[in-house]
Amino acid sequence: WISALFFAFHALAGANLDLRKAPVGTKFVTSKGGAFSLVFRSSSGQEAWLDEKSKILWGDALSERIHRKEAASLCARKSEGETLVAGLHLNELPTLADYEEAEEHGFREVLPRMTNSYYWIRSSVPNAPNIGHVFSGNLGKPVLILYRSINYERVRCIRRNAG
């Protein structure tokens, strides 16, 4: 309790903290004013953070890179420590709107393994079946891609109304 409060206080003060060492229960306020709580950390370091405003629980990166057609089914599958954390099933691939809202809240400051990766988005471009979006962990925004040139990226799963 005291340790979690300490991390929250220093986050507000702008201190540079290693959130990978923060205890479960830590509340962190980002530079954008978003509040996140660390809900889970596995023995292998996989984490899940709750966006306090949207009530979306964000899971860690699940795999290196997988085919776009497998991304949604990976989230639907129950796998201990990956899509099943703290008794909750992270059962959805995030939408474009989910990523945009989380970015407004500053989630890249909190979630591990965001940089140097692209993440599949559950969306499509109307009337363009060979074009889709991925979320850039470096840029903090979606990027349009041609499926025939890029088919393998990383996956994060979410759970709505988790808070």
Side-chain angles (χ1 to χ4, degrees):
W1 181 91
I2 298 289
S3 181
L5 183 61
F6 174 80
F7 270 84
F9 173 77
H10 278 80
L12 286 168
N16 204 5
L17 298 172
D18 183 358
L19 290 178
R20 307 298 69 90
K21 295 179 182 176
V24 170
T26 295
K27 293 191 184 306
F28 183 84
V29 177
T30 70
S31 64
K32 295 182 176 184
F36 291 83
S37 297
L38 179 60
V39 174
F40 173 82
R41 181 179 294 118
S42 72
S43 59
S44 64
Q46 291 286 105
E47 297 178 1
W49 287 83
L50 177 67
D51 182 333
E52 297 285 347
K53 187 171 184 181
S54 69
K55 300 301 183 200
I56 291 178
L57 183 61
W58 286 87
D60 210 327
L62 294 185
S63 61
E64 284 308 308
R65 294 172 69 206
I66 68 166
H67 195 277
R68 66 182 169 84
K69 292 180 180 177
E70 299 168 10
S73 63
L74 179 63
C75 290
R77 203 169 52 218
K78 288 185 179 179
S79 176
E80 191 65 45
E82 287 188 331
T83 61
L84 191 62
V85 297
L88 296 173
H89 181 202
L90 304 177
N91 57 354
E92 289 185 54
L93 190 63
T95 65
L96 179 59
D98 294 329
Y99 273 108
E100 288 174 337
E101 180 180 32
E103 179 62 22
E104 287 175 13
H105 300 166
F107 82 139
R108 288 185 302 138
E109 295 175 31
V110 177
L111 269 64
R113 291 168 273 285
M114 283 300 294
T115 58
N116 301 319
S117 293
Y118 291 94
Y119 294 92
W120 287 120
I121 294 174
R122 187 184 78 213
S123 67
S124 60
V125 176
N127 302 317
N130 292 323
I131 299 175
H133 290 99
V134 291
F135 182 83
S136 169
N138 285 347
L139 300 175
K141 62 182 182 178
V143 176
L144 280 173
I145 60 164
L146 288 173
Y147 287 145
R148 67 175 173 239
S149 62
I150 299 176
N151 275 308
Y152 293 86
E153 292 301 347
R154 297 188 85 177
V155 173
R156 283 186 185 272
C157 300
I158 63 169
R159 180 179 181 96
R160 295 181 194 287
N161 303 314

